[in-house]
Amino acid sequence: MRDSLRVIGRSFQALLLAAAMASAVHADPCDNEKTADRAMIEAQRAAERAQRLAEQIAQQAQLEAEKAALRARWAAMHASEQAQQTAEQAQARAEQAAARAQRDAERAARQAERAAERAAIGAPGVVVTNDAILYIDGPEVPRDAVQWADDARSRRIRQAVTTDTTLNVARGVTLSLTNISGDITVQVWDRDAVRVNAEHDKSDEVMAVIKDGMLKLGTRSIEGAPADVEWSLTVPRWLPLEISGIESEIAVTGMRAPVRAQSMSGDVHVTACQGPMELHSAEGEVHAEDVNGEVTAWSMNSAVRLVRVLGPIEAQSVNGDIQMDDVSSAKVSASTLNGRVYYASKFQDRGRYAFSSHNGKLYVGVDKMQPMNVTVSSFNGQLESSIPVPPAPSTPPTPPAPTTMTWHSPRAMTWRSWNFTLPAEAASASAPSPPTTPPSEPRTRAPRVTYTSAQPGDAPRAPELELESFGGIIQLASRADIERALQLRQAMRDSAEAVRRLSRLRSMRIH
């Protein structure tokens, strides 16, 4: 553009010069010469002004072109950012849709499992109702304990932050904590305050509400379900606890108040506590060590382990073992469906001990010098003992036919009981002859025939031991033998726990 303006200016200058020369033909030579000089000067000045104007126009045009180029680059840049944001939003929507599809699939699978459970009504040994799952000669498992967390899920931590705060509490308050995923650790101190240390996602917020004598802790998320939260609480010893989690391992130490802890798929471990304890886990193990107080422990598919517990004990499991080592209690009840029951502890005077298993084995450590009244009941099981016990009669007595009911064939289901007294040497000297008549009123589910090889005479303080198994083996041995068996089981459990924790750490590193 600048070159074009130069050409226009030169052409204009040439025209002015030609006009001056033409006017000089009719004028005086001197005047013509002066006039020509002035005309040339004027023409040259006009040409210079035209050239400067053209250059200014060219500069302004160049500036406008540069501005237009900048605007074009800015528009292209922002268009690229907007396209990237649109792509990220589309990816996020796709991930959310995939997560919803996965949750729907898992929910459908759980519904299919529940339908299969409902279809199992009438199966041998199991009865499923709308309120509970009943196992014949086993525990009764409330359905709420299995389905209370069906639709709850959490997401992984993307950007971890830590909330550390202290809340003052007064006596009469109960702490309640519900967590979806993440471990929960509770320790004690001598202050009337609760220190909350929680590691959570940046998009989540830790909440604390005190209402109606209850301090409730939890998280609130702007994205719906909160992410994993690792809780570490320091509380007064006197503060009652109600802790629950889904994928949470719970550990409580040093409490002097009631503790209720339940987890869906994590272990529950209570150590050095006093007070009534309610410990539940569906897929995890339940441990109570150095506890003084009533203990109620339940696990569906894993083990219940009680060590140095002082107080009444009620333990139940469906597919896991129940281990009781060095407990001191006058009232112990332990039942399992397919697991084993180990008891390696002392029996107290006037104590009552009831152990039962449907298909599992019962291992009971007995002091052969301690007086004890023993009742063994079984349908298809057998009794094995490494200590002397009175022999059972070879054939059961035949009960007389009742007048109010019809007896089934000899192959019908019949529960048999055998009562005897330990030690066997003392009982054999004064053992009366077995009775020849059955009980006055047999159970309605099946006739029950009782054998009696010895009756407790002058031992009213002897503990009562009841052992019942549908089809498993009942093993009586010395306490040392059962303790060695428990040590072997503990070594196997520690090895499996080490492998599981290593796998969990690797999974956390991946996330």
PDB file of all heavy atoms in Angstrom, residues 414-448:
ATOM      1  N   THR A 414     -33.626 -87.903  65.421  1.00  0.00           N
ATOM      2  CA  THR A 414     -33.716 -88.020  66.864  1.00  0.00           C
ATOM      3  C   THR A 414     -32.504 -87.342  67.492  1.00  0.00           C
ATOM      4  O   THR A 414     -31.364 -87.693  67.176  1.00  0.00           O
ATOM      5  CB  THR A 414     -33.761 -89.495  67.301  1.00  0.00           C
ATOM      6  OG1 THR A 414     -34.873 -90.120  66.681  1.00  0.00           O
ATOM      7  CG2 THR A 414     -33.890 -89.595  68.810  1.00  0.00           C
ATOM      8  N   TRP A 415     -32.750 -86.389  68.322  1.00  0.00           N
ATOM      9  CA  TRP A 415     -31.666 -85.771  69.093  1.00  0.00           C
ATOM     10  C   TRP A 415     -31.386 -86.645  70.306  1.00  0.00           C
ATOM     11  O   TRP A 415     -32.303 -87.090  71.003  1.00  0.00           O
ATOM     12  CB  TRP A 415     -32.071 -84.372  69.545  1.00  0.00           C
ATOM     13  CG  TRP A 415     -31.927 -83.344  68.475  1.00  0.00           C
ATOM     14  CD1 TRP A 415     -32.858 -82.964  67.573  1.00  0.00           C
ATOM     15  CD2 TRP A 415     -30.763 -82.574  68.194  1.00  0.00           C
ATOM     16  NE1 TRP A 415     -32.368 -82.008  66.737  1.00  0.00           N
ATOM     17  CE2 TRP A 415     -31.068 -81.753  67.094  1.00  0.00           C
ATOM     18  CE3 TRP A 415     -29.483 -82.511  68.741  1.00  0.00           C
ATOM     19  CZ2 TRP A 415     -30.157 -80.858  66.552  1.00  0.00           C
ATOM     20  CZ3 TRP A 415     -28.565 -81.621  68.211  1.00  0.00           C
ATOM     21  CH2 TRP A 415     -28.906 -80.816  67.119  1.00  0.00           C
ATOM     22  N   ARG A 416     -30.112 -86.874  70.566  1.00  0.00           N
ATOM     23  CA  ARG A 416     -29.708 -87.681  71.692  1.00  0.00           C
ATOM     24  C   ARG A 416     -28.829 -86.849  72.622  1.00  0.00           C
ATOM     25  O   ARG A 416     -27.995 -86.061  72.156  1.00  0.00           O
ATOM     26  CB  ARG A 416     -28.948 -88.917  71.227  1.00  0.00           C
ATOM     27  CG  ARG A 416     -29.786 -89.871  70.392  1.00  0.00           C
ATOM     28  CD  ARG A 416     -28.993 -91.066  69.952  1.00  0.00           C
ATOM     29  NE  ARG A 416     -27.857 -90.678  69.114  1.00  0.00           N
ATOM     30  CZ  ARG A 416     -26.929 -91.545  68.659  1.00  0.00           C
ATOM     31  NH1 ARG A 416     -27.022 -92.824  68.991  1.00  0.00           N
ATOM     32  NH2 ARG A 416     -25.950 -91.127  67.913  1.00  0.00           N
ATOM     33  N   SER A 417     -29.015 -87.012  73.917  1.00  0.00           N
ATOM     34  CA  SER A 417     -28.231 -86.313  74.923  1.00  0.00           C
ATOM     35  C   SER A 417     -27.568 -87.313  75.845  1.00  0.00           C
ATOM     36  O   SER A 417     -28.129 -88.382  76.148  1.00  0.00           O
ATOM     37  CB  SER A 417     -29.116 -85.371  75.759  1.00  0.00           C
ATOM     38  OG  SER A 417     -29.462 -84.239  75.017  1.00  0.00           O
ATOM     39  N   TRP A 418     -26.396 -86.928  76.278  1.00  0.00           N
ATOM     40  CA  TRP A 418     -25.637 -87.761  77.202  1.00  0.00           C
ATOM     41  C   TRP A 418     -25.147 -86.865  78.330  1.00  0.00           C
ATOM     42  O   TRP A 418     -24.379 -85.929  78.098  1.00  0.00           O
ATOM     43  CB  TRP A 418     -24.479 -88.425  76.459  1.00  0.00           C
ATOM     44  CG  TRP A 418     -23.589 -89.252  77.352  1.00  0.00           C
ATOM     45  CD1 TRP A 418     -23.919 -89.830  78.533  1.00  0.00           C
ATOM     46  CD2 TRP A 418     -22.226 -89.574  77.104  1.00  0.00           C
ATOM     47  NE1 TRP A 418     -22.850 -90.519  79.051  1.00  0.00           N
ATOM     48  CE2 TRP A 418     -21.787 -90.380  78.190  1.00  0.00           C
ATOM     49  CE3 TRP A 418     -21.339 -89.299  76.065  1.00  0.00           C
ATOM     50  CZ2 TRP A 418     -20.491 -90.880  78.265  1.00  0.00           C
ATOM     51  CZ3 TRP A 418     -20.051 -89.803  76.151  1.00  0.00           C
ATOM     52  CH2 TRP A 418     -19.636 -90.587  77.240  1.00  0.00           C
ATOM     53  N   ASN A 419     -25.597 -87.109  79.531  1.00  0.00           N
ATOM     54  CA  ASN A 419     -25.202 -86.344  80.711  1.00  0.00           C
ATOM     55  C   ASN A 419     -24.188 -87.140  81.527  1.00  0.00           C
ATOM     56  O   ASN A 419     -24.401 -88.331  81.797  1.00  0.00           O
ATOM     57  CB  ASN A 419     -26.414 -86.032  81.595  1.00  0.00           C
ATOM     58  CG  ASN A 419     -27.455 -85.212  80.854  1.00  0.00           C
ATOM     59  OD1 ASN A 419     -27.137 -84.511  79.911  1.00  0.00           O
ATOM     60  ND2 ASN A 419     -28.691 -85.325  81.292  1.00  0.00           N
ATOM     61  N   PHE A 420     -23.096 -86.504  81.900  1.00  0.00           N
ATOM     62  CA  PHE A 420     -22.113 -87.162  82.762  1.00  0.00           C
ATOM     63  C   PHE A 420     -21.402 -86.108  83.590  1.00  0.00           C
ATOM     64  O   PHE A 420     -21.545 -84.901  83.362  1.00  0.00           O
ATOM     65  CB  PHE A 420     -21.109 -87.995  81.945  1.00  0.00           C
ATOM     66  CG  PHE A 420     -20.330 -87.203  80.935  1.00  0.00           C
ATOM     67  CD1 PHE A 420     -19.124 -86.601  81.262  1.00  0.00           C
ATOM     68  CD2 PHE A 420     -20.790 -87.077  79.634  1.00  0.00           C
ATOM     69  CE1 PHE A 420     -18.401 -85.881  80.325  1.00  0.00           C
ATOM     70  CE2 PHE A 420     -20.083 -86.356  78.682  1.00  0.00           C
ATOM     71  CZ  PHE A 420     -18.889 -85.755  79.039  1.00  0.00           C
ATOM     72  N   THR A 421     -20.627 -86.580  84.547  1.00  0.00           N
ATOM     73  CA  THR A 421     -19.923 -85.711  85.486  1.00  0.00           C
ATOM     74  C   THR A 421     -18.434 -85.974  85.400  1.00  0.00           C
ATOM     75  O   THR A 421     -18.000 -87.126  85.294  1.00  0.00           O
ATOM     76  CB  THR A 421     -20.406 -85.965  86.927  1.00  0.00           C
ATOM     77  OG1 THR A 421     -21.806 -85.712  86.991  1.00  0.00           O
ATOM     78  CG2 THR A 421     -19.692 -85.055  87.904  1.00  0.00           C
ATOM     79  N   LEU A 422     -17.672 -84.888  85.397  1.00  0.00           N
ATOM     80  CA  LEU A 422     -16.221 -84.984  85.463  1.00  0.00           C
ATOM     81  C   LEU A 422     -15.771 -84.618  86.866  1.00  0.00           C
ATOM     82  O   LEU A 422     -16.402 -83.781  87.522  1.00  0.00           O
ATOM     83  CB  LEU A 422     -15.590 -84.049  84.431  1.00  0.00           C
ATOM     84  CG  LEU A 422     -15.808 -84.420  82.955  1.00  0.00           C
ATOM     85  CD1 LEU A 422     -15.175 -83.369  82.065  1.00  0.00           C
ATOM     86  CD2 LEU A 422     -15.247 -85.791  82.642  1.00  0.00           C
ATOM     87  N   PRO A 423     -14.661 -85.190  87.377  1.00  0.00           N
ATOM     88  CA  PRO A 423     -13.841 -86.209  86.709  1.00  0.00           C
ATOM     89  C   PRO A 423     -14.504 -87.574  86.668  1.00  0.00           C
ATOM     90  O   PRO A 423     -15.306 -87.911  87.530  1.00  0.00           O
ATOM     91  CB  PRO A 423     -12.560 -86.220  87.553  1.00  0.00           C
ATOM     92  CG  PRO A 423     -12.988 -85.759  88.891  1.00  0.00           C
ATOM     93  CD  PRO A 423     -14.095 -84.758  88.658  1.00  0.00           C
ATOM     94  N   ALA A 424     -14.163 -88.347  85.636  1.00  0.00           N
ATOM     95  CA  ALA A 424     -14.822 -89.635  85.418  1.00  0.00           C
ATOM     96  C   ALA A 424     -14.486 -90.632  86.499  1.00  0.00           C
ATOM     97  O   ALA A 424     -15.300 -91.505  86.831  1.00  0.00           O
ATOM     98  CB  ALA A 424     -14.422 -90.203  84.048  1.00  0.00           C
ATOM     99  N   GLU A 425     -13.266 -90.555  87.114  1.00  0.00           N
ATOM    100  CA  GLU A 425     -12.891 -91.527  88.139  1.00  0.00           C
ATOM    101  C   GLU A 425     -13.794 -91.407  89.351  1.00  0.00           C
ATOM    102  O   GLU A 425     -14.248 -92.394  89.925  1.00  0.00           O
ATOM    103  CB  GLU A 425     -11.432 -91.324  88.555  1.00  0.00           C
ATOM    104  CG  GLU A 425     -10.426 -91.647  87.464  1.00  0.00           C
ATOM    105  CD  GLU A 425     -10.245 -90.498  86.499  1.00  0.00           C
ATOM    106  OE1 GLU A 425     -10.961 -89.487  86.654  1.00  0.00           O
ATOM    107  OE2 GLU A 425      -9.398 -90.623  85.593  1.00  0.00           O
ATOM    108  N   ALA A 426     -14.110 -90.161  89.744  1.00  0.00           N
ATOM    109  CA  ALA A 426     -14.967 -89.976  90.908  1.00  0.00           C
ATOM    110  C   ALA A 426     -16.404 -90.339  90.613  1.00  0.00           C
ATOM    111  O   ALA A 426     -17.140 -90.795  91.483  1.00  0.00           O
ATOM    112  CB  ALA A 426     -14.878 -88.524  91.385  1.00  0.00           C
ATOM    113  N   ALA A 427     -16.832 -90.144  89.386  1.00  0.00           N
ATOM    114  CA  ALA A 427     -18.224 -90.417  89.041  1.00  0.00           C
ATOM    115  C   ALA A 427     -18.495 -91.894  88.862  1.00  0.00           C
ATOM    116  O   ALA A 427     -19.585 -92.376  89.131  1.00  0.00           O
ATOM    117  CB  ALA A 427     -18.609 -89.663  87.775  1.00  0.00           C
ATOM    118  N   SER A 428     -17.462 -92.660  88.407  1.00  0.00           N
ATOM    119  CA  SER A 428     -17.713 -94.073  88.124  1.00  0.00           C
ATOM    120  C   SER A 428     -17.951 -94.880  89.365  1.00  0.00           C
ATOM    121  O   SER A 428     -18.599 -95.939  89.315  1.00  0.00           O
ATOM    122  CB  SER A 428     -16.513 -94.648  87.347  1.00  0.00           C
ATOM    123  OG  SER A 428     -15.335 -94.496  88.135  1.00  0.00           O
ATOM    124  N   ALA A 429     -17.444 -94.408  90.534  1.00  0.00           N
ATOM    125  CA  ALA A 429     -17.620 -95.174  91.763  1.00  0.00           C
ATOM    126  C   ALA A 429     -19.059 -95.153  92.246  1.00  0.00           C
ATOM    127  O   ALA A 429     -19.535 -96.111  92.840  1.00  0.00           O
ATOM    128  CB  ALA A 429     -16.693 -94.634  92.860  1.00  0.00           C
ATOM    129  N   SER A 430     -19.765 -94.083  92.004  1.00  0.00           N
ATOM    130  CA  SER A 430     -21.143 -93.963  92.491  1.00  0.00           C
ATOM    131  C   SER A 430     -22.126 -93.760  91.362  1.00  0.00           C
ATOM    132  O   SER A 430     -23.136 -93.108  91.540  1.00  0.00           O
ATOM    133  CB  SER A 430     -21.240 -92.783  93.470  1.00  0.00           C
ATOM    134  OG  SER A 430     -20.876 -91.590  92.818  1.00  0.00           O
ATOM    135  N   ALA A 431     -21.836 -94.280  90.194  1.00  0.00           N
ATOM    136  CA  ALA A 431     -22.716 -94.080  89.041  1.00  0.00           C
ATOM    137  C   ALA A 431     -23.928 -94.971  89.154  1.00  0.00           C
ATOM    138  O   ALA A 431     -23.815 -96.195  89.236  1.00  0.00           O
ATOM    139  CB  ALA A 431     -21.967 -94.384  87.741  1.00  0.00           C
ATOM    140  N   PRO A 432     -25.110 -94.417  89.177  1.00  0.00           N
ATOM    141  CA  PRO A 432     -26.315 -95.246  89.211  1.00  0.00           C
ATOM    142  C   PRO A 432     -26.610 -95.839  87.847  1.00  0.00           C
ATOM    143  O   PRO A 432     -26.030 -95.465  86.846  1.00  0.00           O
ATOM    144  CB  PRO A 432     -27.403 -94.243  89.635  1.00  0.00           C
ATOM    145  CG  PRO A 432     -26.909 -92.935  89.114  1.00  0.00           C
ATOM    146  CD  PRO A 432     -25.417 -92.983  89.216  1.00  0.00           C
ATOM    147  N   SER A 433     -27.530 -96.763  87.844  1.00  0.00           N
ATOM    148  CA  SER A 433     -27.902 -97.402  86.579  1.00  0.00           C
ATOM    149  C   SER A 433     -28.701 -96.436  85.729  1.00  0.00           C
ATOM    150  O   SER A 433     -29.418 -95.574  86.233  1.00  0.00           O
ATOM    151  CB  SER A 433     -28.737 -98.653  86.855  1.00  0.00           C
ATOM    152  OG  SER A 433     -29.902 -98.288  87.577  1.00  0.00           O
ATOM    153  N   PRO A 434     -28.583 -96.525  84.402  1.00  0.00           N
ATOM    154  CA  PRO A 434     -29.310 -95.612  83.520  1.00  0.00           C
ATOM    155  C   PRO A 434     -30.802 -95.794  83.665  1.00  0.00           C
ATOM    156  O   PRO A 434     -31.305 -96.902  83.887  1.00  0.00           O
ATOM    157  CB  PRO A 434     -28.839 -96.014  82.113  1.00  0.00           C
ATOM    158  CG  PRO A 434     -27.574 -96.776  82.334  1.00  0.00           C
ATOM    159  CD  PRO A 434     -27.720 -97.456  83.654  1.00  0.00           C
ATOM    160  N   PRO A 435     -31.566 -94.725  83.559  1.00  0.00           N
ATOM    161  CA  PRO A 435     -33.021 -94.858  83.632  1.00  0.00           C
ATOM    162  C   PRO A 435     -33.570 -95.546  82.394  1.00  0.00           C
ATOM    163  O   PRO A 435     -32.968 -95.518  81.329  1.00  0.00           O
ATOM    164  CB  PRO A 435     -33.498 -93.410  83.725  1.00  0.00           C
ATOM    165  CG  PRO A 435     -32.410 -92.626  83.065  1.00  0.00           C
ATOM    166  CD  PRO A 435     -31.137 -93.339  83.374  1.00  0.00           C
ATOM    167  N   THR A 436     -34.697 -96.122  82.552  1.00  0.00           N
ATOM    168  CA  THR A 436     -35.300 -96.875  81.441  1.00  0.00           C
ATOM    169  C   THR A 436     -36.512 -96.179  80.875  1.00  0.00           C
ATOM    170  O   THR A 436     -37.224 -96.754  80.059  1.00  0.00           O
ATOM    171  CB  THR A 436     -35.706 -98.278  81.916  1.00  0.00           C
ATOM    172  OG1 THR A 436     -36.623 -98.143  83.011  1.00  0.00           O
ATOM    173  CG2 THR A 436     -34.491 -99.070  82.377  1.00  0.00           C
ATOM    174  N   THR A 437     -36.779 -94.952  81.320  1.00  0.00           N
ATOM    175  CA  THR A 437     -37.939 -94.233  80.802  1.00  0.00           C
ATOM    176  C   THR A 437     -37.472 -92.957  80.156  1.00  0.00           C
ATOM    177  O   THR A 437     -36.538 -92.315  80.620  1.00  0.00           O
ATOM    178  CB  THR A 437     -38.923 -93.888  81.927  1.00  0.00           C
ATOM    179  OG1 THR A 437     -38.255 -93.103  82.896  1.00  0.00           O
ATOM    180  CG2 THR A 437     -39.458 -95.156  82.564  1.00  0.00           C
ATOM    181  N   PRO A 438     -38.098 -92.542  79.070  1.00  0.00           N
ATOM    182  CA  PRO A 438     -37.721 -91.298  78.401  1.00  0.00           C
ATOM    183  C   PRO A 438     -38.249 -90.109  79.175  1.00  0.00           C
ATOM    184  O   PRO A 438     -38.992 -90.265  80.139  1.00  0.00           O
ATOM    185  CB  PRO A 438     -38.407 -91.430  77.038  1.00  0.00           C
ATOM    186  CG  PRO A 438     -39.602 -92.269  77.330  1.00  0.00           C
ATOM    187  CD  PRO A 438     -39.196 -93.238  78.396  1.00  0.00           C
ATOM    188  N   PRO A 439     -37.902 -88.911  78.766  1.00  0.00           N
ATOM    189  CA  PRO A 439     -38.445 -87.716  79.410  1.00  0.00           C
ATOM    190  C   PRO A 439     -39.961 -87.699  79.318  1.00  0.00           C
ATOM    191  O   PRO A 439     -40.571 -88.267  78.396  1.00  0.00           O
ATOM    192  CB  PRO A 439     -37.814 -86.563  78.631  1.00  0.00           C
ATOM    193  CG  PRO A 439     -36.591 -87.153  77.995  1.00  0.00           C
ATOM    194  CD  PRO A 439     -36.923 -88.580  77.729  1.00  0.00           C
ATOM    195  N   SER A 440     -40.575 -86.997  80.244  1.00  0.00           N
ATOM    196  CA  SER A 440     -42.038 -86.993  80.312  1.00  0.00           C
ATOM    197  C   SER A 440     -42.659 -86.351  79.086  1.00  0.00           C
ATOM    198  O   SER A 440     -43.660 -86.817  78.567  1.00  0.00           O
ATOM    199  CB  SER A 440     -42.491 -86.265  81.586  1.00  0.00           C
ATOM    200  OG  SER A 440     -41.977 -84.940  81.564  1.00  0.00           O
ATOM    201  N   GLU A 441     -42.054 -85.240  78.606  1.00  0.00           N
ATOM    202  CA  GLU A 441     -42.613 -84.550  77.440  1.00  0.00           C
ATOM    203  C   GLU A 441     -41.506 -84.344  76.420  1.00  0.00           C
ATOM    204  O   GLU A 441     -40.691 -83.428  76.554  1.00  0.00           O
ATOM    205  CB  GLU A 441     -43.215 -83.197  77.842  1.00  0.00           C
ATOM    206  CG  GLU A 441     -44.466 -83.310  78.682  1.00  0.00           C
ATOM    207  CD  GLU A 441     -45.066 -81.955  78.944  1.00  0.00           C
ATOM    208  OE1 GLU A 441     -44.601 -80.993  78.281  1.00  0.00           O
ATOM    209  OE2 GLU A 441     -45.964 -81.835  79.754  1.00  0.00           O
ATOM    210  N   PRO A 442     -41.428 -85.164  75.407  1.00  0.00           N
ATOM    211  CA  PRO A 442     -40.394 -84.958  74.381  1.00  0.00           C
ATOM    212  C   PRO A 442     -40.684 -83.710  73.562  1.00  0.00           C
ATOM    213  O   PRO A 442     -41.810 -83.249  73.485  1.00  0.00           O
ATOM    214  CB  PRO A 442     -40.489 -86.226  73.516  1.00  0.00           C
ATOM    215  CG  PRO A 442     -41.894 -86.697  73.716  1.00  0.00           C
ATOM    216  CD  PRO A 442     -42.258 -86.338  75.124  1.00  0.00           C
ATOM    217  N   ARG A 443     -39.638 -83.181  72.958  1.00  0.00           N
ATOM    218  CA  ARG A 443     -39.787 -81.997  72.112  1.00  0.00           C
ATOM    219  C   ARG A 443     -40.649 -82.324  70.909  1.00  0.00           C
ATOM    220  O   ARG A 443     -40.642 -83.426  70.390  1.00  0.00           O
ATOM    221  CB  ARG A 443     -38.423 -81.474  71.651  1.00  0.00           C
ATOM    222  CG  ARG A 443     -37.553 -80.968  72.788  1.00  0.00           C
ATOM    223  CD  ARG A 443     -36.285 -80.352  72.248  1.00  0.00           C
ATOM    224  NE  ARG A 443     -35.431 -79.869  73.326  1.00  0.00           N
ATOM    225  CZ  ARG A 443     -34.267 -79.265  73.139  1.00  0.00           C
ATOM    226  NH1 ARG A 443     -33.826 -79.071  71.917  1.00  0.00           N
ATOM    227  NH2 ARG A 443     -33.558 -78.855  74.163  1.00  0.00           N
ATOM    228  N   THR A 444     -41.359 -81.343  70.456  1.00  0.00           N
ATOM    229  CA  THR A 444     -42.274 -81.569  69.335  1.00  0.00           C
ATOM    230  C   THR A 444     -41.525 -81.792  68.034  1.00  0.00           C
ATOM    231  O   THR A 444     -42.031 -82.460  67.143  1.00  0.00           O
ATOM    232  CB  THR A 444     -43.214 -80.367  69.191  1.00  0.00           C
ATOM    233  OG1 THR A 444     -42.434 -79.187  69.036  1.00  0.00           O
ATOM    234  CG2 THR A 444     -44.083 -80.225  70.437  1.00  0.00           C
ATOM    235  N   ARG A 445     -40.308 -81.207  67.899  1.00  0.00           N
ATOM    236  CA  ARG A 445     -39.626 -81.353  66.617  1.00  0.00           C
ATOM    237  C   ARG A 445     -39.082 -82.770  66.407  1.00  0.00           C
ATOM    238  O   ARG A 445     -38.959 -83.235  65.295  1.00  0.00           O
ATOM    239  CB  ARG A 445     -38.460 -80.361  66.522  1.00  0.00           C
ATOM    240  CG  ARG A 445     -37.361 -80.567  67.531  1.00  0.00           C
ATOM    241  CD  ARG A 445     -36.192 -79.635  67.250  1.00  0.00           C
ATOM    242  NE  ARG A 445     -35.113 -79.843  68.199  1.00  0.00           N
ATOM    243  CZ  ARG A 445     -33.972 -79.188  68.155  1.00  0.00           C
ATOM    244  NH1 ARG A 445     -33.772 -78.289  67.225  1.00  0.00           N
ATOM    245  NH2 ARG A 445     -33.026 -79.411  69.050  1.00  0.00           N
ATOM    246  N   ALA A 446     -38.725 -83.486  67.520  1.00  0.00           N
ATOM    247  CA  ALA A 446     -38.237 -84.854  67.396  1.00  0.00           C
ATOM    248  C   ALA A 446     -38.179 -85.449  68.787  1.00  0.00           C
ATOM    249  O   ALA A 446     -38.002 -84.743  69.770  1.00  0.00           O
ATOM    250  CB  ALA A 446     -36.851 -84.887  66.761  1.00  0.00           C
ATOM    251  N   PRO A 447     -38.299 -86.756  68.914  1.00  0.00           N
ATOM    252  CA  PRO A 447     -38.141 -87.385  70.221  1.00  0.00           C
ATOM    253  C   PRO A 447     -36.731 -87.162  70.734  1.00  0.00           C
ATOM    254  O   PRO A 447     -35.773 -87.093  69.963  1.00  0.00           O
ATOM    255  CB  PRO A 447     -38.420 -88.863  69.939  1.00  0.00           C
ATOM    256  CG  PRO A 447     -39.144 -88.877  68.646  1.00  0.00           C
ATOM    257  CD  PRO A 447     -38.675 -87.700  67.869  1.00  0.00           C
ATOM    258  N   ARG A 448     -36.581 -87.039  72.017  1.00  0.00           N
ATOM    259  CA  ARG A 448     -35.294 -86.797  72.636  1.00  0.00           C
ATOM    260  C   ARG A 448     -35.059 -87.863  73.689  1.00  0.00           C
ATOM    261  O   ARG A 448     -35.820 -87.961  74.652  1.00  0.00           O
ATOM    262  CB  ARG A 448     -35.255 -85.402  73.260  1.00  0.00           C
ATOM    263  CG  ARG A 448     -33.870 -84.971  73.732  1.00  0.00           C
ATOM    264  CD  ARG A 448     -33.958 -83.576  74.347  1.00  0.00           C
ATOM    265  NE  ARG A 448     -32.661 -83.073  74.719  1.00  0.00           N
ATOM    266  CZ  ARG A 448     -31.906 -82.312  73.936  1.00  0.00           C
ATOM    267  NH1 ARG A 448     -32.337 -81.982  72.746  1.00  0.00           N
ATOM    268  NH2 ARG A 448     -30.728 -81.880  74.352  1.00  0.00           N
TER     269      ARG A 448
END
